[in-house]
Amino acid sequence: MTKSTYLPRLTDIDIERQLRAMGGVLIEGPKWCGKTRSSLEFARSVFYTTDNRDLARTLSDEVLMGATPRLVDEWQLEPVLWDKARRIIDERSVPGQFIFTGSSTGTTRAPAHSGAGRFALIRMRTMSLFESGESDGSVSLAQLFDGTSLEMHQITANLKTDILWALTRGGWPAALSLDRDAAGLVAGNYVKLIQHRENSHQEDHASRNGGARLDRAKQTLFVRALARNVAQPVKVSTLIEDVRERGGTLSRSTADNYLNYLKSVYFVEEQPAWSVSLRAKTVLRQAPKRHLTDPSLAVAALGASPAQLLRDFRTLGHMFESLCYRDLCIYAQHLGGEVAHYRDASGFEIDEIVTLSDGRWAALEVKLGDAQIDEAAQQLRTLTERIDTRHIGEPAFLAILYAGQYAYTRPDGVHVIPIACLSA
């Protein structure tokens, strides 16, 4: 691949900025999301650990030598490289020495040092609609936080021909240049890769959990249970029951083992609950919502076609929410922020809470179509009556993300934003 075919990523700006400040940058995220390709835009030399594990183990100092920044791809396969790089960074005392990439958080031999003060951590996800060119970027999250009101305008993307395709194809960089038949296979192959019993990291994970092996058939049922409950704060016991209803048996310890493995390889991402002071004496629920790392994986795990999704609006709604969560995470991270959700003991909930490092925050509801906009706007206004804004301040904005074609600000101040026009 040449640089002329490279689609820029928002993380590129973060990588460049951190390389000017830190000795190294660690880029973590799922396989195939583009970590290596983005790193090659900045690296002047490269070492592929996957192809040279013996060399990395026996000559770790030598393999870290080369023009800087030096890319070390899939470093976690030989954790000794991390500690050696940390020492080199200390000795050279010059920023921009290394770019490390990793597709899993688990290793059989943990590094001796965390890397604090030497490495900056950057999380990479699959491509947002803005990065893949399917959002026109006419509404900026940064501008919304600065108080910009929306002038009504129409976009061309629509649910049936654009959003639904983005859901089923996913944000995989390699899929963007393929024809539709080929692109539709990428997510399905990813699911099979994760479930394959010979996956080396899966064996590593099993050995670190008392030697328990991960059964492929049971894990398949578990992944499908996650897909059916995507973007929902379901308990692990609910996932176990889902597996049992479909003829499987799963103990709590095995389910926890599967879930931990899937999180460690960035197949599952947990959206945390928002911690905030309430005006009323109620209880906040702390259970996370679970998403697959790209909404296309949920579609593939269930074997759902676009036509089937259109006949099941409840499932489609959850998958659309997961797509919105992915994009919001990418845009918020670019602004130094995070995305949580709100749910209290009464069942009242808000889909997305975006908080920035300077303390500003915003609340967003996700809906498929126009019919639910009034209800969602009322939901957002109710939130401000429940939380103690004396401590956290008023929201920077309230908004509804949907799969429609018109962006505008309602008379009550709530923004209505098509996901296909949002950007950072």
Side-chain angles (χ1 to χ4, degrees):
M1 183 181 292
T2 63
K3 290 193 176 186
S4 62
T5 64
Y6 178 69
L7 286 177
R9 308 290 293 272
L10 289 171
T11 49
D12 294 348
I13 299 172
D14 301 327
I15 295 169
E16 184 177 23
R17 182 171 55 210
Q18 293 293 355
L19 283 172
R20 293 199 304 266
M22 304 295 290
V25 172
L26 169 60
I27 306 172
E28 293 186 329
K31 291 179 180 296
W32 305 357
C33 74
K35 301 182 300 299
T36 304
R37 183 65 187 88
S38 289
S39 298
L40 288 171
E41 290 292 300
F42 302 93
R44 296 181 59 213
S45 64
V46 59
F47 177 77
Y48 295 103
T49 312
T50 306
D51 301 330
N52 301 281
R53 292 190 65 173
D54 289 339
L55 188 63
R57 192 179 305 118
T58 57
L59 296 171
S60 55
D61 284 307
E62 286 80 354
V63 302
L64 292 175
M65 297 298 114
T68 61
R70 183 159 175 79
L71 169 59
V72 180
D73 195 49
E74 300 293 355
W75 74 272
Q76 79 284 347
L77 297 174
E78 293 299 334
V80 66
L81 295 172
W82 179 268
D83 292 322
K84 296 283 188 178
R86 181 190 64 84
R87 178 177 55 77
I88 292 172
I89 288 170
D90 287 346
E91 290 174 351
R92 293 176 180 171
S93 297
V94 177
Q97 297 300 301
F98 295 105
I99 304 172
F100 275 35
T101 69
S103 298
S104 67
T105 59
T107 62
T108 53
R109 303 178 306 283
H113 194 280
S114 67
R118 284 84 168 181
F119 279 86
L121 173 63
I122 296 176
R123 171 65 190 272
M124 196 171 200
R125 294 174 170 84
T126 55
M127 299 182 82
S128 65
L129 296 184
F130 177 66
E131 291 170 312
S132 63
E134 291 159 303
S135 166
D136 64 21
S138 57
V139 176
S140 160
L141 187 63
Q143 290 177 342
L144 291 172
F145 268 104
D146 289 338
T148 299
S149 186
L150 303 183
E151 294 290 334
M152 177 176 278
H153 64 278
Q154 184 179 8
I155 64 170
T156 58
N158 64 68
L159 174 63
K160 288 187 178 181
T161 61
D162 300 294
I163 304 301
L164 196 57
W165 169 237
L167 267 173
T168 54
R169 183 211 62 216
W172 310 101
L176 298 182
S177 61
L178 303 177
D179 62 61
R180 288 211 166 193
D181 287 341
L185 298 175
V186 173
N189 288 329
Y190 195 101
V191 172
K192 292 176 182 177
L193 172 72
I194 292 298
Q195 293 172 348
H196 198 282
R197 71 174 75 247
E198 297 303 323
N199 182 290
S200 60
H201 178 67
Q202 187 169 342
E203 295 302 321
D204 265 2
H205 183 88
S207 69
R208 288 182 285 108
N209 286 271
R213 295 179 62 84
L214 303 181
D215 181 272
R216 184 177 181 182
K218 289 183 179 181
Q219 192 182 7
T220 297
L221 290 174
F222 188 72
V223 167
R224 289 175 181 167
L226 285 165
R228 274 187 287 272
N229 292 278
V230 75
Q232 301 174 65
V234 296
K235 298 178 179 178
V236 174
S237 58
T238 302
L239 299 174
I240 292 172
E241 184 58 31
D242 187 294
V243 170
R244 287 175 178 163
E245 288 176 357
R246 286 158 179 81
T249 58
L250 208 59
S251 68
R252 177 57 189 255
S253 62
T254 301
D256 286 339
N257 193 25
Y258 287 177
L259 186 58
N260 289 335
Y261 163 67
L262 293 170
K263 288 192 292 184
S264 75
V265 294
Y266 300 102
F267 187 83
V268 170
E269 179 172 352
E270 293 188 340
Q271 179 182 2
W274 192 36
S275 179
V276 66
S277 299
L278 301 177
R279 286 199 175 107
K281 291 184 177 180
T282 187
V283 178
L284 284 177
R285 299 299 190 193
Q286 295 301 314
K289 287 185 180 181
R290 293 191 181 90
H291 302 263
L292 303 191
T293 197
D294 189 273
S296 64
L297 298 178
V299 178
L302 296 178
S305 68
Q308 288 171 321
L309 288 175
L310 282 174
R311 292 195 295 268
D312 184 353
F313 257 56
R314 183 176 180 276
T315 298
L316 178 57
H318 289 309
M319 292 184 178
F320 178 68
E321 181 181 334
S322 202
L323 180 147
C324 291
Y325 172 71
R326 180 202 65 190
D327 282 15
L328 275 176
C329 283
I330 294 169
Y331 305 150
Q333 178 178 299
H334 186 65
L335 303 179
E338 298 176 338
V339 184
H341 75 96
Y342 174 98
R343 183 179 177 87
D344 63 30
S346 71
F348 179 84
E349 59 185 335
I350 296 294
D351 296 325
E352 320 287 350
I353 304 290
V354 180
T355 58
L356 301 186
S357 57
D358 61 11
R360 288 181 294 168
W361 66 279
L364 303 94
E365 276 285 274
V366 177
K367 301 297 178 186
L368 272 176
D370 304 77
Q372 301 165 298
I373 285 178
D374 286 341
E375 176 188 349
Q378 179 58 50
Q379 187 95 337
L380 290 164
R381 292 194 300 271
T382 299
L383 172 68
T384 60
E385 300 168 1
R386 291 179 175 243
I387 62 176
D388 192 347
T389 54
R390 294 174 301 174
H391 291 87
I392 64 167
E394 297 290 336
F397 68 90
L398 304 173
I400 301 162
L401 289 179
Y402 79 132
Q405 293 181 281
Y406 290 92
Y408 58 95
T409 300
R410 291 164 47 99
D412 58 9
V414 176
H415 303 306
V416 180
I417 306 169
I419 189 60
C421 73
L422 190 63
S423 67

